[in-house]
Amino acid sequence: MASTSLLLPLAIIFFFFFLLPNSLHATSFSIDLIHRDSPRSPFYNPSDSLSDRMSRAIRLSNSRMDYFHSTISNTSTNISSNVLPNGGSYLMTISLGTPPVQFLAIADTGSDLIWTQCSPCKSCYHQDAPLFDPTKSSTYGNLSCDSSACSALRLSSCIDSSCQYSYSYGDKSYTQGALASETLGLSGSEFQKIAFGCGYNNDGTFNSRTAGLVGLGGGPLSLISQLSSSIGGKFAYCLVPFTKNTSSSRMDFGDSAVVSGNGVVSTPLISRQGRETYFFLTLQKITVGTNSISLPQGPQGNIIIDSGTTFTFLPTSVYQQLLSALKNSINLQPVQGPSQNGLELCYQSGTGSNIPDLKFGFDGAEVVLGFLNTFVPVGQNVSCAAFRPSQSLSIYGNVAQQNFKIGYDLPNMKVAFQPTDCTNN
């Protein structure tokens, strides 16, 4: 029997399709997703070693795990998260206003709100790009306190009938300002009346090289949800391997996001009422060779699929069984990885042919992971298993998603996987 907790609430569907109208110049378009460690990223530091980058990825992955756990388990509307606001794995370019002002923002699949710093700013962190000036845009408008977008905020207030937003992070960073509507541009396509946060009071650990954040979650204020009626509720991405960071990953919207052809498998997308930001899947088992590891029985939707988390987090008992099964299946002697990264199962690089395929058995879909989805390079000639233990929830991270085109079909509530060379996609 289907549970109401597994369905998108009717109010959210109504919000998607009727309360946030958009104007689309194309039914299909694509954007680049730039990994923060890519040479195209302003965060790129050529002096960083693989070990430095992997240690940072572990720290940021642990932060996102803490964030997801706090928001899912916290029933309060005043949520202060432990996520690092400058810790997204991917960046994207958007524009706001008429005439359009372009800037680079963090692309975050773990949140919903789109926001940027605005002038005149009461208290803003330094950013390299000019602040967005709403007085210079002919399409800017503040949203009222009784608007549906304002009602979708976790924490809001009202000044002269205009909606004010407030969002704080666990490291004491925060953004506050006016909830407004504006024309938003993506890769040559424009969308009108997009709700976003015009931040006048922002401070903390935000980085000067980005000018805000684009929420790509499933909640009503996310970019995905606000474009839903224009893109048919469909989006997809193809993440290039960690070792191919000179290429950009790609995110498709609309018709180009349909995943079809050889090798496609699909699994139900699970939405939990009150937790629509996150995309849940049901993982039933993991297979290493002939060794099958069952996940603990429970309700559907036991793992979050997230492109912003590097590693895959599994229940501690499952994690331990997986590492044991991998070790028993690989006829090689493990080596010691860099002590600071905490990854437990490491081998000399160049041993990929000795690694068995790892099969993630989702509900109705078996996704086969190869070496690059299972092990990550952490230093000179050393690769380690890209998994972490968790005492709370599970996350299917972006290493496991590399070289797959992964399509989200929100009207039909399903996610499709297709093995793809994302460097040529």
Side-chain angles (χ1 to χ4, degrees):
M1 181 184 299
S3 168
T4 56
S5 66
L6 306 182
L7 303 175
L8 278 173
L10 290 177
I12 298 297
I13 295 175
F14 183 78
F15 187 94
F16 285 0
F17 288 93
F18 299 103
L19 297 184
L20 288 172
N22 306 293
S23 176
L24 180 63
H25 290 171
T27 58
S28 178
F29 65 97
S30 302
I31 63 170
D32 285 342
L33 290 176
I34 304 169
H35 194 278
R36 61 172 292 127
D37 288 327
S38 163
R40 293 185 58 193
S41 164
F43 292 99
Y44 178 69
N45 184 349
S47 65
D48 278 352
S49 65
L50 273 174
S51 182
D52 292 334
R53 294 173 186 171
M54 201 51 55
S55 294
R56 179 169 57 246
I58 290 172
R59 177 169 52 87
L60 298 179
S61 291
N62 288 339
S63 170
R64 287 181 75 81
M65 165 59 74
D66 291 341
Y67 167 51
F68 291 163
H69 177 65
S70 68
T71 54
I72 289 172
S73 61
N74 193 337
T75 57
S76 168
T77 57
N78 185 8
I79 290 177
S80 178
S81 73
N82 291 322
V83 71
L84 300 180
N86 63 348
S89 288
Y90 293 93
L91 309 172
M92 62 187 290
T93 299
I94 68 170
S95 67
L96 283 174
T98 306
V101 176
Q102 190 175 85
F103 59 91
L104 193 67
I106 295 168
D108 185 20
T109 51
S111 66
D112 295 321
L113 185 66
I114 305 164
W115 67 268
T116 189
Q117 295 199 114
C118 290
S119 68
C121 201
K122 296 176 183 176
S123 175
C124 282
Y125 66 91
H126 171 72
Q127 72 176 43
D128 297 339
L131 301 183
F132 179 72
D133 187 348
T135 65
K136 294 182 178 179
S137 173
S138 62
T139 47
Y140 176 90
N142 288 324
L143 290 174
S144 66
C145 296
D146 59 359
S147 65
S148 297
C150 190
S151 299
L153 288 167
R154 292 185 181 274
L155 187 64
S156 63
S157 60
C158 199
I159 298 179
D160 297 329
S161 299
S162 293
C163 183
Q164 307 294 306
Y165 78 92
S166 179
Y167 195 88
S168 61
Y169 298 84
D171 65 352
K172 305 301 168 85
S173 298
Y174 58 85
T175 175
Q176 300 170 342
L179 190 68
S181 69
E182 185 54 284
T183 297
L184 182 145
L186 287 168
S187 189
S189 296
E190 288 190 343
F191 305 85
Q192 280 75 51
K193 298 182 179 179
I194 296 296
F196 81 106
C198 199
Y200 294 106
N201 188 16
N202 321 288
D203 201 5
T205 61
F206 303 112
N207 195 289
S208 64
R209 288 165 284 189
T210 58
L213 188 145
V214 178
L216 296 172
L221 287 177
S222 79
L223 177 69
I224 300 301
S225 298
Q226 294 196 63
L227 301 188
S228 190
S229 61
S230 298
I231 61 176
K234 296 179 176 65
F235 69 97
Y237 52 76
C238 202
L239 305 180
V240 300
F242 185 80
T243 54
K244 306 288 185 181
N245 63 5
T246 55
S247 300
S248 291
S249 299
R250 197 176 81 175
M251 190 169 190
D252 299 323
F253 299 85
D255 295 341
S256 62
V258 175
V259 181
S260 60
N262 294 332
V264 176
V265 294
S266 62
T267 185
L269 177 64
I270 308 299
S271 179
R272 293 184 181 176
Q273 190 167 358
R275 299 289 179 258
E276 289 83 7
T277 296
Y278 310 113
F279 297 111
F280 291 89
L281 308 178
T282 301
L283 179 61
Q284 298 174 332
K285 65 179 180 180
I286 301 172
T287 304
V288 182
T290 59
N291 192 340
S292 181
I293 304 165
S294 297
L295 273 288
Q297 291 187 345
Q300 285 188 304
N302 60 358
I303 189 168
I304 295 171
I305 180 170
D306 177 46
S307 65
T309 302
T310 301
F311 298 93
T312 291
F313 286 79
L314 297 166
T316 299
S317 62
V318 174
Y319 166 82
Q320 292 171 341
Q321 292 178 71
L322 174 58
L323 259 59
S324 177
L326 282 170
K327 187 175 181 179
N328 291 335
S329 300
I330 299 170
N331 189 26
L332 295 169
Q333 185 65 33
V335 299
Q336 184 68 41
S339 58
Q340 69 270 28
N341 68 32
L343 297 176
E344 295 188 53
L345 184 61
C346 304
Y347 292 93
Q348 289 287 338
S349 296
T351 59
S353 60
N354 293 283
I355 308 299
D357 284 340
L358 193 63
K359 300 175 181 178
F360 268 58
F362 295 103
D363 181 11
E366 184 176 76
V367 178
V368 181
L369 305 184
F371 177 76
L372 68 83
N373 304 111
T374 309
F375 284 80
V376 290
V378 297
Q380 284 294 92
N381 300 318
V382 177
S383 295
C384 298
F387 303 95
R388 300 285 288 165
S390 171
Q391 298 288 348
S392 52
L393 69 156
S394 300
I395 300 176
Y396 192 66
N398 62 42
V399 171
Q401 300 177 56
Q402 292 174 157
N403 270 359
F404 283 89
K405 183 171 183 179
I406 301 178
Y408 294 70
D409 183 343
L410 300 183
N412 293 307
M413 292 298 288
K414 67 178 183 179
V415 176
F417 297 82
Q418 183 180 41
T420 303
D421 181 358
C422 294
T423 60
N424 294 322
N425 188 36

